[in-house]
Each structure stands twice: as structure tokens, then as C-alpha cells.
Amino acid sequence: HTEILTPAIEFMCQQTRVDLGQVSCVAVDVGPGLFTGLRVGVASAKALASALRVPMIGLSSLDLLAYPMRWTNRLIVPVIDAKRGEIFWSRYRQVAGGVQRLSDYQVGRPEDLIADLMASNEESLLVGDGVSRYAEEFSELDRVEIGTVGSAFPSAASLVELAQPKALREEFIQPSE
């Protein structure tokens, strides 16, 4: 990640004809997720924001996974593999213009989420790499749809779409935070 991130940023700026001096805010995925990748991404975003002297916006990976599913009437449950037999998840519902988080961000075993989904008995859509990792366990559930491989990872498009209104409302965090 460290070796390819800076050249990737330079390439993106060239392709979009955007000079780094035009950047007024840096948005970054702050997890949950794999530690090394997040650490590199957050450190790079902090360095870029500090160098450009612009504020930052941090967004959760779970929010980024839920947002593209905003068109479903089902309960949206993004699930991220936390390794060591655990997952991260939260629950979302479609609202006008996006999704609303209904629960705290949680970490636990897949069995915990399965029990929660069985108790709620709601039509649910599960997305994220945690669903792929524990597909066999989740496939046994009634009233649960499993997302496709295209919904397994947070997207930069979701990051931009969710960060832009926060930037307009000046909901920033300082790079030192």
C-alpha cells in the first residue's frame, strides 16, 4: 500500500486534471477494517491534509458499504471480516437521500449477528467481505439476501458522495485528531 498509494494519487490527479492545490478537504475511510491498510490510508490522508493545510473528514467502512444499497427496502447490514473468527457490523435503513444507521457499530462472532437477524425476523440485505467469509453460515438464514461480490468492499465513490455534504456543513476533523 505504501509503495503504490502516492503514485496512485498522482495518477488520479493527472487523469482528472486536478492540482493538489485545488483540494480543499481530504476524506478518508477510518475503518473498521484490516489494520495495516487502514493505517497506511489514514497516515497518508493525514500527511496530505497537513501538507495542504486543509481539514479532514473520516467515514466508517460500514457506512460506505451501506450507502450504495440505499435503494432497497430491506434492512441493510454491512459485515466486515475482523479476522480471528469475528466480524464488524451495523444496521441501516433506507431514508430519503441515503441510509440511516440504526445501531451502534458492533464487533462479535458471526453467530451473534445470526442470532440478532433471526430475532428481528426482518427482510435483510447483507453486504461486505464478512458475508463472503461466512457465506455458508449466513446462507442458512430465512429472509436474508446476500449481496454480490461487487458489494464486498467500500468504494471511493461512496466516500466522495458521503463526504461532500459533510464538507458543505463543515463537519471536519483536524488531521491531528
Side-chain angles (χ1 to χ4, degrees), residues 34 81-87 108-110 133-134:
L34 297 179
D81 185 9
K83 304 296 180 195
R84 299 184 178 153
E86 292 186 317
I87 55 174
R109 297 166 31 119
R133 169 75 172 87
Y134 298 99

Side-chain angles (χ1 to χ4, degrees), residues 51-150:
L52 297 173
R53 296 183 181 179
V54 297
M56 293 180 64
I57 294 173
L59 292 160
S60 165
S61 301
L62 294 168
D63 296 351
L64 299 176
L65 283 168
Y67 183 72
M69 304 300 123
R70 65 191 176 277
W71 309 113
T72 185
N73 289 325
R74 298 171 184 254
L75 179 70
I76 304 163
V77 184
V79 183
I80 296 175
D81 185 9
K83 304 296 180 195
R84 299 184 178 153
E86 292 186 317
I87 55 174
F88 301 104
W89 78 89
S90 191
R91 307 168 110 216
Y92 298 78
R93 176 81 60 209
Q94 173 196 58
V95 294
V99 294
Q100 178 181 19
R101 187 166 43 91
L102 304 175
S103 67
D104 290 334
Y105 303 122
Q106 299 178 43
V107 63
R109 297 166 31 119
E111 296 81 23
D112 300 332
L113 175 56
I114 289 169
D116 186 45
L117 292 169
M118 289 175 65
S120 75
N121 199 31
E122 285 191 67
E123 292 280 334
S124 302
L125 171 62
L126 275 62
V127 296
D129 70 337
V131 179
S132 305
R133 169 75 172 87
Y134 298 99
E136 188 174 316
E137 290 90 330
F138 290 124
S139 68
E140 301 296 322
L141 291 168
D142 292 332
R143 304 179 59 118
V144 171
E145 180 181 344
I146 304 295
T148 65
V149 70

